[in-house]
Amino acid sequence: SLADLAKLAGFLLISWAAWYLGYLLTVFVPKETITTSIANLKGIGKKPVLRAPVPKRQKCDHWSPCSPGNYAYRILSGGGREKLAKICFEDELLISEEKGNVGRGINIAIVNCNCVIDSTDHSGEMVTFIKNAPEGSLLLMVTHDDGSTRLKNEAKKLVEELGSKEIWNMKFRSSWAFIAAKGFKLPDNIQKEKINHSDEDNRYIGWPAEIQIEGCVPRNLI
């Protein structure tokens, strides 16, 4: 019928027009443009991949930075026999295995003095060292191996006067970290002390697990 012939003619015309349009695109449009357009069409609907930025390393490996006008500190006791203690202040390792100055006993670093002592095997020397620390100094202390056996009561009392609440609780091979100030008061909200005792049931078998304290000290106090 005429209607069917008209439909057929229309279909053929549309097919020819589509072919011709494709031919013109192939001839006149650069191949790179077509490839890019197809790639863009394929990308429609895909969710963008969000990648978290690599976290910036903070002073003394803090999780978050100290605000301007503060010093960063971090004190770590050893974990077991092999992992040695560390004292870090403003991103400088004052006492560590790398520095080769970790000793058995209580290791002490004094900021504002450039002095370091590393053993309570000589308790009297420790007392003299602390008493001679200048006013306005920070004292950062940490145990390695055992810091209690040869620690005399005079030394314990002196550390207690600096603000320690755990020095009298120290046992054989206890892990202990402490920060104190001489001649000024540290803010109440900073982490000053932590202790952990040896444990036969943990993975270190008779040695305590590592502990650490960290925080920020206002520069205007020192």
Side-chain angles (χ1 to χ4, degrees):
S1 64
L2 291 176
D4 292 334
L5 289 173
K7 289 180 181 179
L8 178 61
F11 174 75
L12 292 174
L13 181 61
I14 292 172
S15 299
W16 178 84
W19 172 85
Y20 189 69
L21 181 60
Y23 170 76
L24 290 177
L25 287 172
T26 304
V27 173
F28 295 106
V29 179
K31 184 178 180 181
E32 293 79 5
T33 303
I34 296 174
T35 303
T36 303
S37 299
I38 293 172
N40 290 338
L41 288 172
K42 288 181 178 179
I44 293 176
K46 289 184 178 180
K47 293 182 179 179
V49 178
L50 301 177
R51 301 186 184 279
V54 177
K56 181 181 178 182
R57 183 187 171 278
Q58 306 300 335
K59 290 180 179 178
C60 292
D61 293 320
H62 279 205
W63 281 106
S64 56
C66 290
S67 59
N70 285 264
Y71 293 115
Y73 70 88
R74 191 169 185 232
I75 307 173
L76 300 91
S77 72
R81 181 192 297 269
E82 302 300 330
K83 195 170 184 180
L84 304 187
K86 289 183 180 181
I87 294 178
C88 177
F89 186 81
E90 270 300 278
D91 217 24
E92 181 180 351
L93 284 175
L94 304 181
I95 291 178
S96 68
E97 182 178 6
E98 295 88 336
K99 299 276 277 191
N101 60 354
V102 180
R104 182 180 185 274
I106 296 179
N107 295 266
I108 306 175
I110 296 183
V111 175
N112 266 7
C113 176
N114 294 323
C115 303
V116 171
I117 190 171
D118 64 4
S119 179
T120 54
D121 285 349
H122 306 285
S123 190
E125 291 181 12
M126 176 181 169
V127 169
T128 301
F129 182 75
I130 293 175
K131 285 183 175 180
N132 288 340
E135 295 292 303
S137 296
L138 279 173
L139 294 89
L140 300 90
M141 308 183 189
V142 66
T143 54
H144 169 60
D145 196 334
D146 175 54
S148 66
T149 303
R150 300 188 183 183
L151 191 62
K152 309 297 185 197
N153 286 344
E154 181 187 11
K156 290 180 181 180
K157 189 173 186 302
L158 184 59
V159 175
E160 181 184 36
E161 289 172 357
L162 289 172
S164 172
K165 301 181 185 306
E166 300 289 355
I167 191 66
W168 292 94
N169 298 326
M170 195 181 296
K171 302 175 183 178
F172 179 67
R173 285 183 179 163
S174 293
S175 286
W176 176 70
F178 177 56
I179 181 171
K182 188 174 181 182
F184 63 97
K185 185 178 183 298
L186 290 173
D188 293 331
N189 62 344
I190 69 170
Q191 196 174 29
K192 302 180 184 71
E193 187 174 29
K194 189 177 284 188
I195 194 168
N196 188 28
H197 305 296
S198 58
D199 185 353
E200 293 292 341
D201 298 326
N202 69 13
R203 64 192 177 97
Y204 298 113
I205 311 173
W207 291 72
E210 177 187 273
I211 59 168
Q212 69 175 39
I213 60 173
E214 65 177 45
C216 308
V217 179
R219 292 173 181 259
N220 60 8
L221 295 180
I222 302 177

